[in-house]
Amino acid sequence: MNRILLLVLLGACVILGAVLGFYNAVPVRFDFLLGQVEWPLIALLAASFAVGILIAAAFSSWRLVALRLSLRRTQKQLQQAETELRNLRNLPIQTDSRPGS
């Protein structure tokens, strides 16, 4: 059922993209710092969308790397604490044999 729903949504996106491409095929002049180009509007829209995805992926991967490093540090601290706890549990119990204690 989920696979069918996913295929229907994918098909709807393809159809929507085709319709947008058909109605936005008008050439547009795009001016940027280094010059200018004339491309179809749909190509500029797709290019800007792709650049946005790349920028978002770069920021997400940067945050993901930071979180993985933090996780590794925390796991190392947990392992050290577990080792210390295990060593403390294995220590012999000393009883005080003084009278009145």
Side-chain angles (χ1 to χ4, degrees), residues 2 7 11 17 27 33 37 42 44 48 58 62-63 67 76 80 83 89 96:
N2 288 338
L7 287 174
L33 291 176
V37 293
I42 191 65
L44 288 174
S48 63
W62 181 263
R63 179 69 178 146
L67 286 173
K76 198 175 285 188
Q80 289 173 350
T83 303
R89 285 182 178 166
D96 199 10

Side-chain angles (χ1 to χ4, degrees), residues 72-88:
R72 185 174 295 149
R73 228 175 304 133
T74 304
Q75 285 176 336
K76 198 175 285 188
Q77 288 174 347
L78 176 63
Q79 187 178 12
Q80 289 173 350
E82 286 175 342
T83 303
E84 183 179 356
L85 180 62
R86 195 175 316 109
N87 290 339
L88 287 173

Side-chain angles (χ1 to χ4, degrees), residues 30-74:
F30 178 66
D31 297 317
F32 55 98
L33 291 176
L34 302 174
Q36 64 184 9
V37 293
E38 190 167 313
W39 283 359
L41 180 59
I42 191 65
L44 288 174
L45 289 172
S48 63
F49 183 72
V51 167
I53 287 176
L54 290 174
I55 290 172
F59 281 118
S60 295
S61 64
W62 181 263
R63 179 69 178 146
L64 184 64
V65 167
L67 286 173
R68 284 183 188 259
L69 290 174
S70 176
L71 177 63
R72 185 174 295 149
R73 228 175 304 133
T74 304

Side-chain angles (χ1 to χ4, degrees), residues 1-15:
M1 184 64 184
N2 288 338
R3 185 176 247 171
I4 294 172
L5 182 63
L6 184 63
L7 287 174
V8 168
L9 286 174
L10 183 62
C13 287
V14 167
I15 291 171

